[in-house]
Amino acid sequence: MTTLIKNGIVITEDPEDRVFLKGWMRIDGDRITGLGEGDPGDAVTADRVIDATGKAVLPGIVDVHTHVCGSLFKGMTEDPEGAFYGLALPMERLLTPESTYTLSMLGAAECLKGGVTCINDIYHYMRDTARAIDEIGMRGVLAHKIIETDLSTIQYHDYTRIPKEGAARVEENCRLIEEYHGKDGRIFCRFGPHATDTVSIELARKIVELGHHYQVGFHIHVAQKVQEVNFLKETYGLTPVEYLCETGLMGEDLVAAHCTYITDRDIQLLKEGGATMAHCAEMYGKRGSFPPMEKIYGSGVRLAYGTDWVTMDPWTSMRIAVMAARMAGCKLNDPSAHTALRLSTIVPAKSLGLGDRIGSLEVGKQADILLLDMQSPNLTPVFDDPVATIVYNANRHDVHTVLVAGKVLVEDRQLKTVDEAQVLAEGQRAATAIYRDYRAGK
Ligand SMILES: [Zn+2]
C-alpha cells in the first residue's frame, strides 16, 4: 500500500528544520519513501492520495511522560489541596488489570485524537496498558511502575519498605519486557522505578543491572514534591538528582520526569549525565509548582515536553511551557515556537532511543504523521512561518488525520481502530466504579 500526501504545508522537524509552504510526501507501507517541496510531479504515484490542501503535515507528537490510565482523575485532583498524595495515589489501589486496560484505552484515545502518536508511559498493570496501545495501533514506550512503598500511606510520611512488593513489581516489569519489547516495531519497554523516594537505593541498583541485561532504558519521577526532597535528604543525605547518580540510573537512557525542586548542582549533574528532563508544564500549572526553567533552558540539559496525566493535550501543554518560562524570566526566543515543537517531536524521539525511526518527516523514517486542519479562524492567516501560527494557536480539535506506521488511526477527527462511543462509555463506567468504591472506603 502506497500513499501520497500532497498540497499541504509540510513541517519536517528534520536537522535543517525545513518547512515547505506547499509540499508532498510519499509513504510505502509503514515508511516515508519520498518528500519534497511543491508538486510531486507525475512520476510519483500511489495507491491512495490524500489531498492536504488547507492542512499542515507534521510528525506525530512524541509525549515524553504520560500515564494514559491516569485519565481516571480528570476534574477530581486539580483543585483540592494535597490531592496527589491524599487522593490520587490512594485511589490507584482500586485499579484492576481490567479497569487499567479500559482507562488506558480512554487515555490513548485522547492522546491519538490530539495528535500524539508515541507515548512514554509508566503505571500499574502496564501489560494491560500495552494491550490497549497495541489494539488502538499507536506507538508506545512502556514501563511498569516499580514501588516498594505503599503509595497510599506516603501522605502520612510512612515510607516503610515492602521488599516483597518491590520484587514482584520488578518481576512484572521483566514480564512486560519479555512480552512486548520490540513488538511490531511499535511497542518498546523500559524499567520504571516509580520515584526516588518510593524505591530504595538497593532496589534501584538492581533495576539498573537488569536494565543493562535487557538493554532497555529507564523512566522515573524525580524531585516532584518537597516531601520527596526532604525524605531523600534525611534518609540518604542526597538530592533526588544525586540519587540518580548514586544508583547508576543517571545516563542517556533515562527519562527523569519533572525535576521541579532541583539545585544548580543538580542541573549540572543532569547535563553531565545526559538524562532527559521531562517537562510537563500544564501539570505544573495545576499544581502551582514550576521547575527553575530560566536556569534550565540553554544550560545544556536535554529537555523534552510531556503532558503527564489527567489531561493529555500536547498543544496546550506546549504553549504553557513557553509562556510560563517567559513569565519566569526566560528570553522571548528561548523557548521559541520552533524550540517548543522540536521538544515535542524529534528531541523526545531521540530521548527514547527512537530518533532514527520517528520524530521528524524524513525519507526512511516511520510514517507517524498528523494533519492539522488549518482552515479555521484560529489558524488563519499563515505567513512564512506556519510553526509559530500552529504553536500559538492550534488546538487538539484541529487534528484532522493521524497515521502511525503508515496506518490511518484517525480520519476526519474520528478514531478508526476502536469504537469511540464504546471507549467513552466503558471509561466512564470504570471510573465511576472506582470512585464509588473509594467513597465507600474500600
Ligand atoms: Zn508522572
Side-chain angles (χ1 to χ4, degrees), residues 65 67 221 224 257-258 308:
H65 180 64
H67 316 279
H221 295 86
Q224 61 178 336
H258 310 316
D308 210 345

Side-chain angles (χ1 to χ4, degrees), residues 119-135:
I119 54 169
N120 182 39
D121 206 278
I122 165 176
Y123 213 51
H124 309 279
Y125 306 116
M126 188 45 65
R127 280 191 299 148
D128 295 279
T129 297
R131 234 173 0 112
I133 298 307
D134 194 22
E135 211 175 300

Side-chain angles (χ1 to χ4, degrees), residues 30 138-140 180-188 354 357-358 366 368 404-405:
D30 61 353
M138 71 188 294
R139 203 178 291 278
Y180 280 100
H181 188 55
K183 186 168 191 294
D184 300 333
R186 205 157 49 72
I187 297 180
F188 299 91
L354 300 173
R357 288 170 184 255
I358 57 168
Q366 289 282 298
D368 289 13
V404 172

Side-chain angles (χ1 to χ4, degrees), residues 75-124:
M76 190 185 288
T77 49
E78 292 88 341
D79 287 347
E81 191 70 38
F84 178 57
Y85 282 163
L87 198 151
L89 295 188
M91 256 179 85
E92 283 184 4
R93 264 189 329 114
L94 299 168
L95 282 162
T96 61
E98 208 42 47
S99 57
T100 298
Y101 163 81
T102 304
L103 290 161
S104 296
M105 188 61 99
L106 179 64
E110 181 183 352
C111 287
L112 211 44
K113 287 192 79 178
V116 174
T117 52
C118 181
I119 54 169
N120 182 39
D121 206 278
I122 165 176
Y123 213 51
H124 309 279

